Amino acid sequence: MFDDLHPIVSTHENFDSVLVPQDHVSRSKNDTYYVTEDTVLRCHTSAHQLSLLKQGEKKFLVTGDVYRRDTIDATHFPVFHQMEGVRVFTKCELSSTELAPQDFVSQELKSMLEGLAKHLFGEVELRWVDAYFPFTDPSYELEIFFNGEWLEVLGCGVMQKQILNGASLVDEEAWAFGLGLERLAMVLFDIPDIRLFWTNDERFSKQFKAGMFRSGGHNMQKFKSYSKYPPCYKDVSFWLPNVSKFTENDLCEIVRSTAGNLVEEVKLIDEFHNPKTNQVSNCYRITYRSMDRSLTDEEINTLQDCVREALVTSLGVTLR
Ligand code: DAH
């Protein structure tokens, strides 16, 4: 079990070591936080798979903070936590079954994860969905039926041979999975907003204790929601400088770096194309809300002014 691996990793570890193709979107500066040209804040705990395998680890969990540039809403935050699991099967273990090695490993993986889901969620309906990850083949996502909808809780699959070979494991097979911890906790406890994990409000933290997970999540007390502070909506409209270059993630990053955790959502509410000038105008609605206190008009107006200014200087937009 590893929970203290450094979150700054090389692009090789984050992407190449797990076979992420050169043209994959996750490599772009729009999706991943680059520290230098060849180091990043890891965007997944899979970044550690290869080096741990190389160190001779055959069965491990990695928990850690991961970072992604993304849009802003109640279920997305630029830093969250993942748990990665890997299990290697030796030639001997693989030969103890009639099944083809890959089928055997898939079966082991699925029954282990179904057991985990049952432990966490109780008797829930599960379904396996075929998926794509560069590092596994076949790849699957596990979905659970919760509060009336199918929710993706993890990705997993049979590890690509090329990764194992890179760690000098040629006769072995392995499975791997990765799950988002906040997402799991939000579902388990009915936590409505991912920013609550970052609040200092005791009405949140007092409801959780170390070890309370042990008996299985479905027996646990739900989070008792306290009333939220009121939101404050501000719209900003602007002409795009260069339509092909503008990205919503860039916009969100600017709003986030100006307003921090006070921003709850950034949402495109109107788009207008002027056929004469071939210019595009966007209107975004920013929802400000604190998890801890009431915001004043004055404070939000000042913030909004800073956001507007930053949009002009950093993105080169023209405010309307
Ligand atoms: N790294 C994937 C992600 O961040 C999750 C994942 C999927 C991890 C499949 C795995 C895996 O180890 O086998 O979305």
Side-chain angles (χ1 to χ4, degrees), residues 18 43-47 49 66 68 80 82-86 109 132-133 135-136 138-141 152 154-159 175-179:
V18 279
C43 72
H44 54 181
T45 42
S46 308
Q49 279 189 8
V66 298
R68 293 188 194 171
F80 59 101
Q82 279 190 331
M83 177 181 278
E84 190 87 6
V86 171
L109 170 67
Y132 162 79
F133 300 107
F135 22 95
T136 45
S139 306
Y140 312 99
E141 279 166 359
E152 182 211 321
L154 59 85
C156 66
V158 177
M159 191 180 287
W175 53 238
F177 69 85
L179 53 84

Side-chain angles (χ1 to χ4, degrees), residues 162-203:
Q162 200 184 327
I163 300 179
L164 287 164
N165 293 348
S168 310
L169 300 167
V170 284
D171 296 322
E172 288 83 350
E173 294 277 353
W175 53 238
F177 69 85
L179 53 84
L181 293 170
E182 279 85 353
R183 185 70 184 275
L184 224 54
M186 288 175 82
V187 173
L188 272 174
F189 297 102
D190 274 343
I191 297 171
D193 192 306
I194 196 165
R195 289 176 306 154
L196 283 163
F197 293 104
W198 301 88
T199 174
N200 292 320
D201 195 322
E202 291 202 335
R203 288 176 300 170

